[in-house]
Amino acid sequence: MIERRNIFLHGLFLTLRRFPAVLWAYAFNLALALIFTVRLHSQFSSIMDHSLAAQKLTSGFDLGAGAEVVLRLQDGPSAGATGSLSSIPLYLLVYFLLVPGTLFCYQTKTPARLSTLLHQGLLHFWRFARITLLTILISALILGPLVFLQGKWAEHVDKHAVGRHAFFATLIGYILIFLVASILRLYFDLVEVYTVQLGQHLRHNGKPDRRMRRALGPAWRTLRAHFSQAWPVFLFLTLLGAAAVIVTARTSMHMLAQPRVWPTVVLAQLGLFLYLFTRFWQRGAETSLALQNPIFRPSPLPILPVVGKINPIDPLHPNHPITTHTPIPTHETPQPSQPLAQTPAPIPDPIPNPEPPSPSLDEPDPGVFHHDPTKPAQ
């Protein structure tokens, strides 16, 4: 019987037990960020290192000086846009390599080594690529009309309301879009979890089951049956990660006037790490839910009633008669050219070696019973 657990706590346990996966993901994301911000850093340095206006940013935060820096960056080639566009393929590559291995380690007792993560990522690479394309397609079909309706709703609110009422009326539409997007994200996360779980089973030809479409149905049934349990956990962890980023970013903004820069950098990276940790926590909670609702459920063997005498040769069919094979003597063994003769089995005697019956006589036999009447009695 499958043990039922709290997916919130069990997901945290899985994340902490496979904590190296979080560290590897953070290391790869940090490396990508450093690589694709080198050019942007050089442009900022050319403006701020030899500028009198840069003193307003080093001694304190000046919004006017910051806006002027942004305008000067837009005059030349945009390094930020170029770097962001070129970093998307590499980010997806890291995602396709690390996430399948992480889910595999969550579902098994395999340690989260880098070799294991990359190996499982290569095995599930194209399956996760197809899931990503399917996610983009379905999200566009569902969220596209909602975004269009939100734009029309915002125009209507601007024409008929102002102030706080207009703000909250517009905010409701964005919250609705966010909730629908979170449900889609949760569903396709479960699809990825079930895809990795399905790959651990073999097909009839002995190869792993790589049919991604077989994970769509179980993910939908699990989400529908446990929606009230999974969705609040997913939303809470999403908001927790976003709150960590907002708090650390706001604190870093207040620390810009400090003479040392490294506390600001460390605090900002801490917020990003906490956001990444909550994302892996979500993966752990989804894995816990999938482990409690697997695709293949083990079925117990049927218990057959025992009726009659048990046949030791075929114990599952006790009513079958027990057949005894009488050995054929060596001298009577037929040759291959001779047909087998049906030799009837000898019928055993019910009373082996019976004694001969005693004769019935009218008088005692003198040969057996010796009686001498002339001999006097003692």
Side-chain angles (χ1 to χ4, degrees):
M1 183 177 180
I2 300 176
E3 182 182 359
R4 297 296 175 182
R5 298 181 178 181
N6 188 331
I7 63 173
F8 182 78
L9 298 179
H10 190 216
L12 177 61
F13 172 74
L14 292 176
T15 307
L16 294 177
R17 191 176 63 176
R18 300 293 180 260
F19 192 71
V22 184
L23 296 179
W24 282 116
Y26 173 76
F28 276 98
N29 282 277
L30 182 61
L32 290 178
L34 293 177
I35 292 173
F36 290 101
T37 55
V38 170
R39 185 177 178 183
L40 184 62
H41 176 267
S42 62
Q43 290 190 359
F44 270 111
S45 299
S46 63
I47 297 174
M48 300 178 62
D49 290 349
H50 306 285
S51 175
L52 295 176
Q55 295 180 359
K56 298 180 180 180
L57 294 177
T58 56
S59 59
F61 185 74
D62 191 346
L63 186 60
E68 184 180 357
V69 171
V70 174
L71 291 176
R72 292 188 60 181
L73 287 176
Q74 292 179 353
D75 293 339
S78 178
T82 305
S84 61
L85 292 178
S86 58
S87 63
I88 292 177
L90 283 180
Y91 173 78
L92 292 177
L93 178 63
V94 172
Y95 175 84
F96 293 153
L97 290 178
L98 294 182
V99 173
T102 302
L103 296 178
F104 176 80
C105 294
Y106 281 0
Q107 298 181 23
T108 61
K109 297 182 179 180
T110 307
R113 299 188 181 94
L114 181 60
S115 58
T116 303
L117 299 178
L118 296 180
H119 176 69
Q120 294 298 325
L122 292 175
L123 291 179
H124 297 83
F125 184 85
W126 293 113
R127 278 172 276 183
F128 272 65
R130 293 195 297 268
I131 293 175
T132 303
L133 293 177
L134 184 63
T135 304
I136 295 174
L137 178 61
I138 295 181
S139 299
L141 293 177
I142 296 178
L143 297 179
L146 292 179
V147 173
F148 176 77
L149 293 177
Q150 170 62 22
K152 296 297 183 181
W153 170 250
E155 293 178 0
H156 175 76
V157 171
D158 291 339
K159 293 179 181 179
H160 297 84
V162 293
R164 183 179 299 178
H165 176 70
F167 171 75
F168 284 109
T170 307
L171 183 62
I172 290 175
Y174 288 111
I175 292 177
L176 179 62
I177 295 176
F178 168 74
L179 295 179
V180 175
S182 66
I183 296 175
L184 292 175
R185 180 69 269 179
L186 175 59
Y187 169 70
F188 284 103
D189 282 353
L190 289 175
V191 171
E192 293 178 350
V193 174
Y194 277 114
T195 300
V196 176
Q197 185 182 116
L198 189 64
Q200 302 175 29
H201 297 272
L202 300 179
R203 302 179 64 179
H204 298 290
N205 55 6
K207 296 182 179 180
D209 197 343
R210 300 179 180 178
R211 294 171 291 180
M212 182 267 296
R213 64 181 182 276
R214 293 197 60 191
L216 299 176
W220 171 252
R221 289 190 294 268
T222 301
L223 179 62
R224 184 180 58 183
H226 303 275
F227 182 79
S228 60
Q229 180 185 8
W231 191 46
V233 172
F234 184 86
L235 280 180
F236 175 76
L237 293 177
T238 301
L239 297 177
L240 183 63
V245 173
I246 293 173
V247 170
T248 53
R250 183 176 177 83
T251 307
S252 300
M253 294 290 291
H254 286 283
M255 297 174 61
L256 287 175
Q258 298 293 331
R260 297 180 180 86
V261 181
W262 66 266
T264 304
V265 176
V266 171
L267 189 60
Q269 291 300 316
L270 177 62
L272 295 177
F273 180 80
L274 291 177
Y275 177 78
L276 186 64
F277 181 81
T278 55
R279 180 60 181 145
F280 275 76
W281 192 350
Q282 287 178 340
R283 295 287 189 171
E286 294 157 359
T287 302
S288 176
L289 184 62
L291 290 177
Q292 298 177 36
N293 301 273
I295 296 180
F296 301 100
R297 293 183 177 272
S299 57
L301 295 176
I303 301 177
L304 300 177
V306 179
V307 180
K309 191 174 182 180
I310 298 178
N311 189 346
I313 301 177
D314 193 3
L316 296 180
H317 302 83
N319 292 329
H320 288 185
I322 303 176
T323 58
T324 58
H325 301 279
T326 304
I328 302 176
T330 307
H331 64 278
E332 297 182 3
T333 303
Q335 300 298 327
S337 60
Q338 299 177 357
L340 293 175
Q342 298 293 334
T343 304
I347 301 176
D349 195 350
I351 303 177
N353 300 325
E355 296 181 358
S358 58
S360 299
L361 301 177
D362 297 336
E363 296 180 358
D365 189 359
V368 177
F369 181 76
H370 300 280
H371 176 67
D372 190 1
T374 60
K375 187 176 180 179
Q378 297 291 336

